[in-house]
Amino acid sequence: MADYPALKLLIDGRWCDGAGRATEPVLNPSTGAVLGELPHVTGADLDLALASSARGHEVWRKTSPVERGRILQRAAALLLERAENIASLITLELGKPIAESRVEVETAAAIFNWNAEEGRRAYGRVIPSRSSNIRQIAVREPLGPIAAFAPWNAPAITPARKISSALAAGCSVIIKPSEETPATTLAIAGALQEAGLPEGALNVVFGDPAMISARLVGSSIVRGISVTGSTQLGKQLGALAVQTMKRMTLELGGHAPVVIFGDVDPEAAALSAVAAKFRNSGQVCTSPTRFFVHESIHDRFAASLSELADKITVGDGFAATTKMGPLANARRVESMERFVDDARARSIAVTAGGERCGNQGFFYRPTVLTNVDDDCMASNVEPFGPLAVTAPFRTVEDAIRLSNRLPFGLASYVMTNDMRNSSVMAEAIQSGNVIINHWQASLPETPFGGYKDSGVGSEGGVEGLQEFQTTKYVSQFSG
Ligand code: NAD
């Protein structure tokens, strides 16, 4: 297990500690113990970070894409060299099993490498002119300084995506990661600094989220925002960003439907679903949650899913036997209790879990609610925790209605062996991702975004890079 580092801010290329600043404790969710004290930025720190980001952008946008790529690749190599240490920090702060944390660090490095490569291919277009003495081109330019906000549930992947996409596109970044999981972003920033990133190209701030976002999103220096968090937060920051006409990428809540057709083996489907559902204690915006199962196999699927959920070993993320860690904080445990209380009050069967476990930390048992109706809380509000619900459907039209019923549309899943079903569902489901017969909703090279209240724009893939670029048209008369 890693020693927990002294927590700092990174402002204008300098590491700043808590001296003269307010601090807040960072907790280990497995024990509730304090890991360290996190310094909070002051208003003056933010002004300095904004000025630094403006200067950093001027230097960075003029750095060639090849050189930018080299720096990102060097940083990725450092992340991989330090993977074991960074994985330990993730497990200490978030609680997820260490094997999952290792995969997260490898994925973060892969995202850096993909953006490093793709940043070199910011091609423009030559547009045929109407007269022989005019040359017309459209070029993609870096958008400008970016303010990024990342939550706690993927402390390596989400900051890595925002930082490396914006940097690869030629933009400077000020990032506010979650105050509950700060150490991984600091490790990423340290790797970038060692890799040769110029001062001001990246600033890392922590503190009072509302104060920081008001200042950064309100500033005319910042030209784009990238937010991962709740739909409510996205709407709030989006409304503020419009005041200064900023570009915005918003990755917000989801409540992923899973449609399982009657031609699928229900026990095999449950076996693959249980691993996907309870990964990271279900605290994933693409987590499969609303299982709509054809009435011919619903009861067998629900029984199997519940039995498998009950068998999951819950414990400290460093223990070799642990398959699911704690929840990230006390808020999430209280939230799980509200979902289950609501279900019990409606006489909905709690067929697995439904209670806290352990005598310290924030543990909750993997939970399944069976035969839910459209009205219960779990059918309508994203649980963002270890909770799955099941309900039977009869026709394809029912499955489509149930899948599209909510204002969310981030990830969705379909399990079937019938090509007609998969084609119909891929076309009909209103969500940014439709994943058929597996559970991998995003990769470094694929676009990831939401429909409706789940967000605006894309992260990942070419689309994710383009969010941080703007188009300039140049028309030149040569006489
Ligand atoms: P929360 O709203 O308290 O915090 C979520 C994140 O947003 C945190 O990192 C927090 O620091 C940040 N935040 C909150 N207010 C902010 C502000 N005014 N300006 C800038 N940042 C701000 O929510 P929570 O209790 O941590 O989680 C509750 C819900 O948030 C979840 O149920 C889920 O729907 C959503 N969430 C989504 C994701 C995702 O990956 N899309 C991740 C985490 C949480």
Side-chain angles (χ1 to χ4, degrees):
M1 194 189 300
D3 285 338
Y4 196 71
L7 299 170
K8 306 233 161 112
L9 309 163
L10 177 61
I11 297 176
D12 200 24
R14 272 166 285 283
W15 297 97
C16 310
D17 62 22
R21 295 179 174 88
T23 63
E24 77 175 285
V26 177
L27 306 184
N28 178 340
S30 273
T31 60
V34 174
L35 291 166
E37 286 290 329
L38 179 69
H40 278 199
V41 279
T42 62
D45 288 331
L46 286 177
D47 289 343
L48 203 58
L50 282 163
S52 162
S53 201
R55 284 192 302 276
H57 184 75
E58 282 311 298
V59 174
W60 189 242
R61 79 180 177 89
K62 291 177 191 148
T63 305
S64 78
V66 172
E67 179 55 17
R68 287 184 211 141
R70 279 197 200 109
I71 291 173
L72 291 175
Q73 280 171 332
R74 278 202 288 272
L78 289 170
L79 293 179
L80 289 175
E81 239 172 63
R82 297 165 190 173
E84 197 53 34
N85 178 275
I86 299 171
S88 288
L89 298 178
I90 296 174
T91 296
L92 276 174
E93 291 179 339
L94 179 59
K96 69 157 84 166
I98 187 72
E100 283 185 34
S101 298
R102 290 187 185 116
V103 172
E104 188 175 339
V105 180
E106 283 163 17
T107 307
I111 291 169
F112 261 72
N113 279 325
W114 194 85
N115 279 318
E117 295 266 332
E118 195 60 25
R120 301 167 63 164
R121 292 188 267 276
Y123 304 130
R125 274 186 305 146
V126 176
I127 301 159
S129 161
R130 295 179 180 209
S131 52
S132 58
N133 52 2
I134 290 191
R135 202 168 71 100
Q136 307 180 138
I137 55 169
V139 292
R140 276 157 57 189
E141 292 196 336
L143 184 62
I146 303 299
F149 300 87
W152 40 263
N153 61 320
I157 289 177
T158 311
R161 246 201 203 143
K162 294 183 188 305
I163 293 170
S164 66
S165 308
L167 289 177
C171 299
S172 63
V173 191
I174 305 177
I175 187 164
K176 188 202 84 60
S178 164
E179 284 68 27
E180 290 168 307
T181 55
T184 308
T185 304
L186 293 175
I188 292 173
L192 277 164
Q193 204 178 40
E194 280 180 55
L197 190 73
E199 262 174 30
L202 175 66
N203 286 271
V204 184
V205 298
F206 297 101
D208 171 1
M211 185 277 264
I212 295 174
S213 58
R215 202 118 174 181
L216 296 185
V217 182
S219 164
S220 54
I221 290 174
V222 169
R223 296 315 317 147
I225 65 168
S226 174
V227 180
T228 301
S230 64
T231 294
Q232 189 194 359
L233 176 66
K235 288 184 177 178
Q236 187 190 325
L237 297 193
L240 189 55
V242 166
Q243 302 303 312
T244 43
M245 283 302 161
K246 293 185 194 351
R247 184 87 67 81
M248 59 184 95
T249 311
L250 308 175
E251 297 297 336
L252 309 175
H255 199 339
V258 184
V259 175
I260 305 182
F261 283 91
D263 58 1
V264 161
D265 174 346
E267 283 79 25
L271 188 60
S272 75
V274 80
K277 171 66 234 178
F278 297 106
R279 180 170 67 86
N280 202 13
S281 304
Q283 301 166 126
V284 183
C285 51
T286 57
S287 189
T289 298
R290 296 181 294 141
F291 289 85
F292 303 121
V293 188
H294 191 262
E295 59 183 4
S296 60
I297 59 165
H298 171 271
D299 292 357
R300 279 173 62 194
F301 174 83
S304 185
L305 185 72
S306 305
E307 192 187 328
L308 291 164
D310 261 341
K311 283 189 189 148
I312 292 174
T313 310
V314 179
D316 186 283
F318 288 103
T321 50
T322 293
K323 291 283 181 262
M324 190 182 100
L327 305 197
N329 52 49
R331 298 190 304 285
R332 299 264 37 87
V333 177
E334 287 152 16
S335 173
M336 286 306 108
E337 288 183 328
R338 285 194 291 276
F339 284 104
V340 172
D341 288 349
D342 171 81
R344 290 205 166 106
R346 294 166 186 275
S347 305
I348 289 170
V350 181
T351 49
E355 59 190 9
R356 294 179 185 226
C357 57
N359 55 7
Q360 60 175 10
F362 311 127
F363 291 95
Y364 199 86
R365 296 207 64 78
T367 297
V368 180
L369 309 180
T370 295
N371 274 312
V372 294
D373 55 32
D374 281 1
D375 300 325
C376 72
M377 186 177 163
S379 291
N380 292 285
V381 180
E382 179 186 31
F384 218 73
L387 174 65
V389 304
T390 77
F393 74 88
R394 181 166 296 169
T395 65
V396 176
E397 289 69 34
D398 290 343
I400 294 170
R401 181 194 68 79
L402 288 163
S403 301
N404 290 340
R405 196 178 63 81
L406 298 182
F408 304 111
L410 194 58
S412 56
Y413 305 86
V414 178
M415 301 192 86
T416 181
N417 292 307
D418 182 325
M419 271 185 60
R420 267 172 316 171
N421 287 338
S422 59
S423 302
V424 166
M425 295 308 287
E427 214 253 287
I429 296 189
Q430 294 161 3
S431 74
N433 299 49
V434 182
I435 311 301
I436 301 170
N437 290 337
H438 72 104
W439 304 100
Q440 182 74 53
S442 83
L443 290 164
E445 60 274 21
T446 56
F448 176 67
Y451 273 33
K452 304 190 281 187
D453 272 6
S454 289
V456 173
S458 274
E459 289 201 318
V462 181
E463 291 84 351
L465 270 176
Q466 289 177 351
E467 298 286 347
F468 298 112
Q469 293 166 334
T470 190
T471 301
K472 180 185 274 175
Y473 167 63
V474 179
S475 176
Q476 188 182 343
F477 177 63
S478 56

